[in-house]
Amino acid sequence: MLKKYYINTDAQGLYNITSYVRQAVNESGVNSGIAVVFCPHTTAAITINENADPDVQTDLLFALDKTYPDRPQFRHAEGNSSAHLRSSCVGASETIIIDDGSMVLGMWQGIYFAEFDGPRQRHFFVKVIKG
Ligand code: ZN
């Protein structure tokens, strides 16, 4: 089963999409398998990280800013090479194990859509596979 979800990002940041993925898993009826969450954008990404302390998200974004700053040497005419770099480094997808009808996530883990170039209207896919 493939589901497509839309989100509007109002700025760069991490958007918790765990409930969307959980909904896709529940609707699939799959008891044992995997869920693949995929971002089809080149200046955004999917990641799993802490959902308890929001300072973790702030620190992650701060570190990405420091690691991949905008540079005058960048040639890409759109002017958002830094966002493209962050997208590739964080990654376009995550895979989550489904067991006993639920996602196997750690207590402090959430699934995030990472926006590096917003605000934008975005979408992502959840593919649930039985196995
Ligand atoms: Zn670009």
Side-chain angles (χ1 to χ4, degrees), residues 18 28 31 37 39 71 74-75 103 111 114 122 124-125:
T18 310
S28 75
N31 195 53
V37 185
C39 167
R71 296 183 186 276
F74 286 155
R75 296 174 54 157
M103 292 188 290
I111 306 164
R122 300 293 204 176
F124 62 92
F125 296 95

Side-chain angles (χ1 to χ4, degrees), residues 35-56:
V36 178
V37 185
F38 179 75
C39 167
H41 305 286
T42 60
T43 56
I46 302 293
T47 192
I48 294 175
N49 215 303
E50 178 164 329
N51 63 11
D53 180 0
D55 283 344
V56 172

